Amino acid sequence: MRTVWITGASSGIGEACAYRYAAQGCKLVLTSSSREKLEAVADRCRREGASGVRVLPYDLSEPAGIKLLSREAWDTFGGIDILFCNAGISQRTRVEDTPLPMVRKIMEVNFFAPVALAEAILPLMTDNGGGRIAVTTSIAGRFGFPLRCAYSASKHALYGFFETLRAENHDKGISVTFVCPGRVRTDISINALDKGGVRHGKMDPGQDKGLSPEKAARIIVPAIEKRKNEVLVGSSELMMVYVKRFFPDICARLVKKIKAV
């Protein structure tokens, strides 16, 4: 039975996907910064049918322990078939209100942590005959977005790194799926960093009307199973991805009119 390691597994997309994999009888390794929330998710995963669950709490803004964490995750059930780098942190600040330490923190969680996880797990996967890596990006990783300068940059960076990883390792049985959400009703806006580095503490109105995490998971998990290169998750807002691709000048004009919160 497959083993799936999900980061950001205590809520939102990660939690919902954990339940989908549990219902398939998978073994699960669950990571987020909150042990209490993870334990609650783990209990439900067991009830949903997971053949094994291990909770590995970790703050991914701390790079020093990621290699050891990865080794522990791998050894828990004797390997990992799917690594889902889903954890992330957002912001609600203009460029002039986003000091470099905030940029670094966002980049640490959203970009450097997935890179470190992949670099630790990739050679183990290839030695084991292959595996799947999924990475949560965002439509804000396809074009700049107001009040998201560091967040958008971190998501753009994921494409560059993991597209390269895929190109270099496709012949070793490694697939990479970019999970690109638009508006999904998660806590990411509530937990976003606001001016002064404080917690934003509010659900964005647009996000509140977005897709439920459960509906998102029903789209995401089959896409990873099919080894799709990318899966867009959301509704009408996803049209901006295609506007950017085919009509970049129009996209630039429309982005200026976006009400970001």
Side-chain angles (χ1 to χ4, degrees), residues 12 86-87 97 141 218 234:
N86 170 68
D97 296 322
R218 289 200 292 268

Side-chain angles (χ1 to χ4, degrees), residues 11-14 16-17 139 179-189 203-222 231-238:
S11 65
I13 288 173
C17 287
I139 60 170
V179 177
C180 183
R183 290 172 174 169
V184 179
R185 201 163 58 248
T186 72
D187 290 343
I188 193 164
S189 64
M203 175 74 75
D204 293 347
Q207 190 175 19
D208 193 38
K209 299 175 184 177
L211 215 62
S212 72
E214 293 74 24
K215 287 183 179 179
R218 289 200 292 268
I219 298 168
I220 293 165
V221 170
V231 54
L232 299 175
V233 186
S235 54
S236 60
E237 73 278 4
L238 300 178

Side-chain angles (χ1 to χ4, degrees), residues 49-125:
S51 54
V53 184
R54 174 76 185 279
V55 165
L56 285 180
Y58 192 78
D59 181 355
L60 291 171
S61 68
E62 300 293 337
I66 288 181
K67 189 170 184 179
L68 183 61
L69 175 74
S70 300
R71 186 76 246 187
E72 192 171 0
W74 181 270
D75 290 344
T76 295
F77 297 114
I80 293 169
D81 301 293
I82 300 170
L83 168 62
F84 187 3
C85 298
N86 170 68
I89 186 170
S90 191
Q91 67 181 119
R92 296 296 182 271
T93 55
R94 295 174 60 88
V95 170
E96 61 268 29
D97 296 322
T98 309
L100 193 56
M102 186 188 295
V103 175
R104 290 186 185 279
K105 180 173 183 177
I106 292 169
M107 290 295 293
E108 198 67 64
V109 174
N110 293 4
F111 177 68
F112 287 112
V115 167
L117 292 169
E119 289 189 340
I121 294 298
L122 179 62
L124 301 173
M125 274 187 172

